[in-house]
Amino acid sequence: MLKRLTFFLLLVMVAWGYEPLIQNISGRTTTSLNGAWNYIVDPYENGYYNYRYRPFDEAEDPSKSGGYFANQKPVNPWDRVEYDFDLSETLEVPGDWNSQREKLFYYEGTIWLKKSFDYNRVSVDNRVFVHFGAANYQTDVYLNGHKLGMHKGGFTPFNYEITNLLKEKDNFLIVKVDNKRKKDEVPTVNTDWWNFGGLTRDVQIVEVPETFIKDYFVQLGKDSKRTIAGYIQLDGVSKSNRKVELLIPELKLRKKLKTDELGRADLSIISKRIKYWSPDNPKLYDVIIKLGSEELHDQIGFRTIQTNGPDILLNGESIFLKGISIHEENPLRGGRAHSMEDARLLLGWAKELGCNYVRLAHYPHNENMVDLADEMGMLVWEENPVYWTISWENVQTYATAQQQLSEVISRDKNRASVIIWSMANETPVSDARMVFLKKLRDFTLKQDDTRLISAALEMHGEGEGGLTRKISDPFADYVDVLSFNQYIGWYDGLPEKCDKIKWAIDQDKPVIISEFGGGALQGLHGDSLTIWTEEFQKYLYRESIEMIQRIPQLRGATPWILVDFHSPRRVLPVIQDGWNRKGLIGSNGEKKQAFYVLQEYYKSLPNPSKNN
Ligand code: GCB
């Protein structure tokens, strides 16, 4: 059965034109395709389907079919071509379309984008790829009129080889990005965040030698404090039986390896001198991988992460995760965050709050966030967008969820900051959902067994007035860290209720409260029982913090949320106006009173990284 499913998944991937990801784009020879792209709004997908609703890219001669990907131009005065990218407006890439044009703020559908460029290869023998940091949600990609493939998932990278299609002059890269929400997709139709569409992250051309270092995994092996383990994977016609080298000069390590027939070399190197990466000392080593004249550089930290009963052990020592949840949005600029400046703003705020840990909710954030987290010593929870009620029984839905998870693991497996892979958020208990989540978990462990598995679950009330709280979700048996969202005092009674709650969490596992909080409009004041005021939110935070501290296994929390974020579910005029107001910082960048309550709590904990 499993074999059949794997085969099916492979078929699906091949049919869609997926290609394995190239690791470490910033360490390679790249040319940016960021900047102004011409765009055409196409709500009826007129540039994709003919009037019989047949895709133009399946036509006998797609270049003359009417499909926008062909970028047709009239040659004769009587030629009828009913679109013209070059006369159309432009959008900035990277960037969502919603925040760039008022008329596109609520738009959900297809937009075509085009970039024209010339390209001179560094060497004629090199191979060339086009790499997208992310595009939300479904992206069909065409170069010079030829389809490269289609990718689903709004938050993970993908790339296509363009070696044989690329010209020195007048290339045109055309993408059709469609952000329509669909029931069987991941995420599904129902979420509590803005569905920002478009080419939301960098687009780059990557040039590599014919046979090159495509991927590598260099971390401490599972539960090992001394053995750097993993692999190097080559790609190209002469990838087998090749000599590759891994160097970590500061550790005086130089390891010569040979690839097998599949171009892979497994590595296992012992070093007794490793200085461990931690929030107190985010030590990164220069790591160099060599293949002939190709040299790839990375900065990698080494640390262990384990659990022992209720403890989370970082490098063998118990740690308390002082965290905050974050959406990928920069409220000051407006729209999806993507740049290093955005990352500095968001993680800078988290640092000021006293955090050593962040939950990147509810989907993989851009690579700058994890790169900066590595540099700053911020521990990270990364999350797959399996959110609320998705189509648990649909094989295609599962394939899409797994593929997105595989892409973020592939991208971030060398980042020491990432300690938890979260499978899902607030998903309702059922047999089909258990099968789905267990499969995702097993898949994750096969890709990377060095990190912890979790999921943001829900808890339930029992006993008199439902005041005794438990976790009865069967998926709790399959996670390393028990996490749950709870809104006592907000969706569940008033803040005073917090005092009455009794915890009866039986599992002998660390508990991280993945969400708690409530809304307040920055600058709105009143007494602590007037909803939407800063005082109400502050009171709620005080009560919540007291309440969660009564959980014996509590080892961390990521309250909801660092900053207000856009959500079409939040329509209350004057107060919300399209924003979820549960931020500790308002959409204007100003801190609310509750910010300081949480900051005080985090400061009161014994040591920046420990709380034994
Ligand atoms: C939750 C969800 C989060 C929402 C939040 C809220 O439980 O996980 O995505 O935004 O509640 O504000 O209601």
Side-chain angles (χ1 to χ4, degrees):
M1 175 65 196
L2 192 71
K3 267 195 188 147
R4 267 190 8 227
L5 186 72
T6 319
F7 179 61
F8 173 72
L9 287 179
L10 273 175
L11 272 184
V12 168
M13 312 267 267
V14 169
W16 283 356
Y18 281 96
E19 289 181 25
L21 279 171
I22 302 176
Q23 174 76 207
N24 186 4
I25 297 301
S26 59
R28 309 195 183 245
T29 306
T30 56
T31 304
S32 172
L33 292 183
N34 290 345
W37 287 52
N38 297 95
Y39 74 98
I40 299 172
V41 186
D42 188 13
Y44 286 15
E45 303 199 299
N46 189 52
Y48 189 74
Y49 295 105
N50 67 14
Y51 82 125
R52 295 288 180 222
Y53 210 60
R54 311 242 2 132
F56 284 127
D57 57 13
E58 287 171 14
E60 221 164 275
D61 182 359
S63 71
K64 300 211 171 64
S65 63
Y68 293 175
F69 52 82
N71 194 31
Q72 246 181 301
K73 298 283 176 193
V75 181
N76 307 300
W78 52 87
D79 285 344
R80 181 181 48 80
V81 180
E82 297 191 61
Y83 66 96
D84 190 332
F85 278 103
D86 298 308
L87 292 177
S88 304
E89 284 180 25
T90 60
L91 283 168
E92 272 304 299
V93 171
D96 64 85
W97 60 60
N98 316 71
S99 64
Q100 293 192 53
R101 292 279 179 281
E102 210 181 333
K103 66 179 180 193
L104 298 176
F105 187 61
Y106 287 100
Y107 184 65
E108 293 187 303
T110 284
I111 288 192
W112 295 81
L113 295 113
K114 185 202 73 141
K115 183 82 176 169
S116 297
F117 62 98
D118 300 335
Y119 192 79
N120 285 313
R121 276 175 224 212
V122 178
S123 155
V124 283
D125 300 325
N126 279 354
R127 290 165 70 188
V128 191
F129 291 79
V130 58
H131 182 275
F132 296 82
N136 189 33
Y137 172 83
Q138 180 176 318
T139 313
D140 290 75
V141 185
Y142 305 82
L143 180 69
N144 299 335
H146 299 271
K147 186 157 192 168
L148 301 176
M150 184 273 272
H151 179 265
K152 282 186 179 187
F155 306 97
T156 46
F158 52 101
N159 50 231
Y160 298 106
E161 180 156 12
I162 55 172
T163 310
N164 299 328
L165 291 172
L166 196 62
K167 305 180 290 182
E168 278 190 8
K169 290 257 167 265
D170 302 327
N171 294 286
F172 54 96
L173 181 63
I174 292 181
V175 296
K176 167 185 178 291
V177 189
D178 179 3
N179 74 334
K180 271 192 296 297
R181 287 166 299 120
K182 290 182 187 158
K183 195 172 162 297
D184 292 337
E185 296 299 335
V186 183
T188 179
V189 282
N190 201 14
T191 72
D192 185 19
W193 69 81
W194 208 267
N195 182 24
F196 291 109
L199 294 175
T200 49
R201 296 183 193 157
D202 297 328
V203 183
Q204 296 179 84
I205 293 189
V206 188
E207 190 169 333
V208 293
E210 195 288 319
T211 295
F212 72 105
I213 306 155
K214 179 172 238 173
D215 190 16
Y216 54 90
F217 190 13
V218 181
Q219 289 277 279
L220 285 172
K222 184 176 165 55
D223 299 337
S224 173
K225 291 199 91 175
R226 288 187 186 161
T227 309
I228 297 172
Y231 59 82
I232 295 168
Q233 178 67 55
L234 307 186
D235 190 75
V237 283
S238 41
K239 66 183 178 194
S240 35
N241 297 316
R242 290 290 300 271
K243 284 185 198 140
V244 285
E245 248 186 293
L246 180 110
L247 291 100
I248 309 180
E250 214 183 318
L251 291 175
K252 300 202 165 38
L253 284 182
R254 182 190 195 115
K255 183 83 181 172
K256 295 191 172 165
L257 302 156
K258 201 166 186 198
T259 59
D260 62 16
E261 312 80 74
L262 298 173
R264 178 178 159 123
D266 286 322
L267 62 96
S268 174
I269 315 167
I270 295 177
S271 171
K272 294 186 182 152
R273 306 165 179 232
I274 299 170
K275 282 199 192 110
Y276 299 110
W277 183 100
S278 73
D280 296 336
N281 179 25
K283 170 75 194 153
L284 297 175
Y285 288 95
D286 281 326
V287 174
I288 305 160
I289 302 173
K290 284 190 185 177
L291 169 72
S293 59
E294 188 190 8
E295 231 186 76
L296 199 54
H297 289 246
D298 203 346
Q299 293 251 299
I300 296 184
F302 301 104
R303 51 102 196 93
T304 61
I305 191 79
Q306 296 155 297
T307 63
N308 180 23
D311 285 324
I312 297 173
L313 306 177
L314 177 71
N315 303 321
E317 286 184 58
S318 177
I319 184 165
F320 189 87
L321 301 178
K322 298 188 268 187
I324 191 73
S325 297
I326 306 181
H327 258 298
E328 193 186 40
E329 200 175 325
N330 178 343
L332 302 183
R333 200 198 53 237
R336 271 270 168 271
H338 56 77
S339 64
M340 192 44 109
E341 292 74 62
D342 295 337
R344 284 195 200 287
L345 179 78
L346 297 171
L347 293 184
W349 274 330
K351 193 92 190 169
E352 199 183 333
L353 190 56
C355 294
N356 58 11
Y357 168 64
V358 289
R359 173 187 182 205
L360 302 183
H362 282 300
Y363 38 76
H365 288 211
N366 65 85
E367 212 169 344
N368 291 312
M369 287 292 273
V370 275
D371 285 352
L372 186 61
D374 253 24
E375 210 179 291
M376 286 172 68
M378 195 65 87
L379 296 156
V380 173
W381 153 303
E382 290 213 82
E383 187 162 328
N384 205 28
V386 173
Y387 183 91
W388 290 351
T389 306
I390 69 163
S391 301
W392 305 111
E393 296 187 41
N394 184 325
V395 259
Q396 193 60 73
T397 306
Y398 177 79
T400 310
Q402 179 179 301
Q403 166 236 317
Q404 293 183 56
L405 192 55
S406 90
E407 286 162 347
V408 67
I409 295 172
S410 171
R411 191 192 72 180
D412 293 342
K413 61 186 177 294
N414 293 312
R415 303 286 72 88
S417 53
V418 178
I419 53 167
I420 297 175
W421 299 122
S422 172
M423 304 294 102
N425 179 73
E426 282 184 358
T427 49
V429 174
S430 75
D431 290 346
R433 171 262 200 183
M434 268 304 275
V435 171
F436 190 110
L437 291 189
K438 270 162 66 182
K439 240 184 330 186
L440 271 189
R441 170 192 177 270
D442 293 348
F443 170 80
T444 305
L445 290 173
K446 270 194 212 114
Q447 307 300 301
D448 172 16
D449 62 0
T450 70
R451 292 176 170 85
L452 307 177
I453 302 280
S454 196
L457 307 176
E458 294 174 326
M459 46 100 193
H460 294 102
E462 284 188 4
E464 209 192 313
L467 293 173
T468 302
R469 297 298 161 106
K470 293 194 145 220
I471 300 177
S472 41
D473 186 331
F475 194 61
D477 293 342
Y478 297 88
V479 295
D480 299 305
V481 173
L482 270 184
S483 295
F484 59 90
N485 301 345
Q486 69 80 26
Y487 283 94
I488 298 159
W490 184 256
Y491 294 126
D492 177 4
L494 290 172
E496 58 174 25
K497 185 168 181 180
C498 294
D499 210 28
K500 304 192 182 91
I501 297 296
K502 288 190 195 70
W503 297 104
I505 299 171
D506 320 318
Q507 294 92 344
D508 186 29
K509 292 185 179 186
V511 167
I512 299 178
I513 310 286
S514 33
E515 287 177 31
F516 72 79
L521 180 65
Q522 196 283 326
L524 185 70
H525 295 287
D527 64 37
S528 58
L529 274 180
T530 304
I531 197 162
W532 307 118
T533 63
E534 287 195 37
E535 286 75 9
F536 186 106
Q537 190 192 37
K538 177 177 166 187
Y539 174 42
L540 175 61
Y541 263 72
R542 287 223 160 109
E543 296 301 302
S544 303
I545 289 168
E546 281 219 23
M547 171 184 68
I548 66 172
Q549 286 186 92
R550 297 199 300 270
I551 302 172
Q553 308 96 315
L554 185 75
R555 293 298 182 273
T558 47
W560 194 253
I561 185 169
L562 182 65
V563 202
D564 292 352
F565 59 97
H566 277 102
S567 169
R569 298 171 70 85
R570 310 293 169 176
V571 296
L572 182 65
V574 183
I575 301 292
Q576 294 179 318
D577 294 321
W579 291 85
N580 182 316
R581 294 290 183 197
K582 294 191 187 71
L584 293 175
I585 299 174
S587 49
N588 54 4
E590 298 292 323
K591 296 177 181 91
K592 305 178 193 174
Q593 292 179 6
F595 181 96
Y596 300 102
V597 175
L598 188 62
Q599 189 187 50
E600 200 182 307
Y601 168 52
Y602 285 161
K603 259 197 212 145
S604 76
L605 295 172
N607 172 303
S609 61
K610 280 177 240 162
N611 178 36
N612 291 313

